[in-house]
Amino acid sequence: MSVITVPGTGAGGWRCAACDEDMVMKPVELTYLNSQFTVELPVCPQCGYVLIPEHLALGKMYQVEQLLEDK
Ligand SMILES: [Zn+2]
């Protein structure tokens, strides 16, 4: 299974507010529409907090679907 990258989440600069640690890009499993996706998202290496980009958190997962269709 290929890993989806979300535009706007790469290129670093993310920081965990709780730990003040630089977040690292890691594949994270998400479930949407009964399907499991592996999406590369910023994760805090200290506490494991996953940064869900706003456009994903708001439910606009069609962007992920489009990315899947491109594969
Ligand atoms: Zn943290």
Side-chain angles (χ1 to χ4, degrees):
M1 188 184 193
S2 57
V3 177
I4 303 162
T5 53
V6 181
T9 58
W14 301 102
R15 198 161 254 271
C16 179
C19 312
D20 200 28
E21 284 281 331
D22 286 329
M23 297 177 104
V24 294
M25 296 303 288
K26 270 190 171 184
V28 176
E29 288 193 352
L30 297 178
T31 305
Y32 177 68
L33 292 179
N34 298 320
S35 300
Q36 205 161 54
F37 305 107
T38 304
V39 185
E40 197 162 90
L41 293 173
V43 178
C44 174
Q46 189 104 336
C47 68
Y49 173 78
V50 179
L51 187 133
I52 307 288
E54 219 171 74
H55 50 275
L56 287 184
L58 291 173
K60 293 178 183 171
M61 288 288 282
Y62 65 86
Q63 292 188 5
V64 171
E65 289 178 65
Q66 285 173 347
L67 289 170
L68 278 180
E69 283 165 12
D70 286 345
K71 301 286 176 195

